[in-house]
Amino acid sequence: MRKYQITFVDEQISFSVETGKTVLQAQIDAGLTPDAFCGGTGKCGKCKVVIDGKEVLACQTVIDRDMTIYTGHKKTEQVQILTGGSGEKLLFQPGELPGKLEDPLLGAVDVGSTSVVVYLMDGKTGELLGTRSALNPQRQFGADVVNRCSYAMENGSDSMSSCIRNTVNTLFRETARECGRVPEEIVRVVMVGNSCMHHLFLGISTKTLALAPYTPAVTEALELKAADYDLHVYPGAQLWWLPNIGGFVGADTVGCLVASDLDTCEEMTLLVDIGTNGELVLGNREGLTSCSTAAGPAFEGAKITCGMRGSTGAIDHVSLENGEIKCHVIGDGEASGICGSGLLDGVAALLKLGKIDETGRMEETCYLTDRVFLNQRDIRELQLAKAAIAAGIQILCQRRGIQIKDIGRVLIAGAFGNYLDPASACAIGMLPPELEGRIVSIGNAAGEGARIAALNCRQFERSRSLAKKTEFVELALDMGFQEVYVDEMGFPEEDD
């Protein structure tokens, strides 16, 4: 088969590619991690590259000649990734560790749909030695879990499993080197992630997740050998995965429950973890009820015309000063797009200015800067996303037999939740406006939960009971969800 010479100018990479492949496939083969939020179907428009002076979609451009390609990306991208949690101290009780190492290390990993965070701890004292993060390379196969499940069903999961394992290995190696250590001293690794990330890492079929009733193939906590999953750590190291609850409510949500002690709270508490998928848990010591909502892609920049992740050049906050729109840009340079927190602020500001009515209708495209704007399609995409979260909260309240006003606290976990302005989330109706003063950010609680379970074996055992006692509601099968979802599509009306 004929091959052509492909040169990616920005990354300074040149190699031969077989004819018939797309530019997106060539990027993946070259070890790049391009954005393909729609999984390469040509729908999201985020994989644009420049060839012969023309802007084209990489996923729709077939290689049929030698090509010089400009992606506009460098090898490194400065992205805001949340690694910190609540920081509360806990009892160090690791139990029996494998091997006879004099100075063992413990590891924890949070595999998010968008980013991956690793933690490295001293195996004798529990001290946190270092943490490191990176974007999840699986984003080249789709922005959300549904696209990735579909890709795995059609093409197999090997490529997605290997790329995420490679990323974890790289992060552990770099973190250990910064501490003057080596990853071969890591004797236990505890991992969390949603059900899809769990299955893809472990090489488990995602078929049951992709089709109704969207059930994980494996829910129980797992105690495995790290070597069986290509982790370059101590040869006899343990690999522990916290359990999944149901649907896409996975080990990451259980990690949040471990870190937040939701099951011991007296007051009714709502836990919200918003990423490319939104997980919700409502309850207290009398019981917990959970659900997941397909809300995330818009908050991650997918399907938003000028959308991008929270990296340099993204508008992350929008405010009004004397009726004028003011934007804050990550890196303090020129704005090149808008990320999720900026999207919420921007729409809240436009609502306040009367540029958008309560139905979401806008008279004209609104420019936040000379280059970055929000149009009618963007507003509709946000409405779909925010309505999913709001409707999920309503359904959980119905299941618990309470009203919104009965919720005493709202705990926001995850990176997006850490950077969003609660006032904006309430102004657009994503979170109930009456709860604005009760909202608290708890950081990367999923990663914190994994770290806690690595340091305290009793907490790992506790994760099993937490998953079992948490009721799961599949919203797609709930008779009343669609009606509530439609009702939550609109924006709250401004008080006179």
Side-chain angles (χ1 to χ4, degrees), residues 5-314:
Q5 191 71 13
I6 301 300
T7 300
F8 292 109
V9 178
D10 297 299
E11 293 85 357
Q12 299 179 356
I13 293 175
S14 184
F15 71 117
S16 296
V17 179
E18 293 179 354
T19 183
K21 285 195 172 186
T22 65
V23 172
L24 177 63
Q25 290 170 326
Q27 287 176 285
I28 295 172
D29 290 346
L32 308 180
T33 51
D35 287 325
F37 291 152
C38 63
T41 61
K43 295 179 179 178
C44 71
K46 297 297 183 182
C47 65
K48 292 176 182 176
V49 296
V50 175
I51 303 173
D52 297 332
K54 296 181 180 179
E55 194 172 66
V56 298
L57 294 180
C59 69
Q60 301 298 301
T61 304
V62 177
I63 293 170
D64 57 4
R65 63 190 187 281
D66 293 342
M67 290 181 174
T68 299
I69 302 170
Y70 294 84
T71 65
H73 298 293
K74 304 300 181 184
K75 285 187 176 180
T76 58
E77 182 181 9
Q78 297 300 314
V79 180
Q80 291 188 152
I81 298 176
L82 185 65
T83 59
S86 63
E88 292 185 9
K89 292 186 177 180
L90 68 146
L91 179 65
F92 179 56
Q93 196 173 42
E96 185 177 353
L97 297 175
K100 303 293 182 181
L101 296 185
E102 187 175 338
D103 294 302
L105 295 173
L106 304 175
V109 186
D110 174 20
V111 183
S113 301
T114 301
S115 58
V116 183
V117 183
V118 305
Y119 304 83
L120 195 63
M121 291 85 69
D122 188 302
K124 292 198 298 184
T125 67
E127 178 189 358
L128 178 63
L129 300 178
T131 183
R132 204 169 180 88
S133 59
L135 291 170
N136 187 330
Q138 292 173 345
R139 70 188 191 278
Q140 62 198 328
F141 304 105
D144 55 61
V145 291
V146 174
N147 272 315
R148 293 184 199 174
C149 284
S150 298
Y151 184 95
M153 286 178 63
E154 294 175 11
N155 304 281
S157 63
D158 289 351
S159 55
M160 279 194 275
S161 296
S162 61
C163 75
I164 192 63
R165 293 173 187 175
N166 288 339
T167 295
V168 171
N169 280 325
T170 298
L171 291 174
F172 271 139
R173 184 173 63 251
E174 293 174 349
T175 309
R177 185 173 61 236
E178 288 177 353
C179 304
R181 307 290 292 271
V182 292
E184 287 74 18
E185 295 173 299
I186 302 173
V187 298
R188 174 184 296 161
V189 177
V190 176
M191 300 188 70
V192 298
N194 65 45
S195 305
C196 180
M197 298 301 98
H198 170 280
H199 283 28
L200 290 176
F201 182 90
L202 295 172
I204 298 170
S205 172
T206 58
K207 183 178 180 179
T208 58
L209 283 171
L211 304 171
Y214 314 108
T215 306
V218 175
T219 56
E220 65 268 16
L222 298 176
E223 298 181 53
L224 308 165
K225 295 180 180 179
D228 291 343
Y229 297 89
D230 303 321
L231 291 184
H232 304 159
V233 291
Y234 179 71
Q238 300 165 331
L239 171 61
W240 292 355
W241 266 92
L242 268 61
N244 297 314
I245 293 174
F248 291 104
V249 182
D252 52 350
T253 301
V254 177
C256 290
L257 295 177
V258 169
S260 63
D261 289 327
L262 205 64
D263 61 319
T264 66
C265 296
E266 183 172 349
E267 64 181 334
M268 188 61 64
T269 302
L270 172 65
L271 171 68
V272 183
D273 188 352
I274 308 172
T276 49
N277 210 49
E279 289 87 31
L280 311 173
V281 182
L282 177 65
N284 55 14
R285 64 188 184 187
E286 296 179 2
L288 302 171
T289 306
S290 67
C291 68
S292 64
T293 62
F299 299 138
E300 298 291 341
K303 297 186 178 181
I304 302 301
T305 310
C306 296
M308 60 184 291
R309 67 174 57 87
S311 57
T312 302

Side-chain angles (χ1 to χ4, degrees), residues 313-327:
I315 295 173
D316 63 341
H317 287 294
V318 179
S319 59
L320 289 176
E321 294 182 15
N322 299 319
E324 295 290 324
I325 289 178
K326 301 293 182 183
C327 299

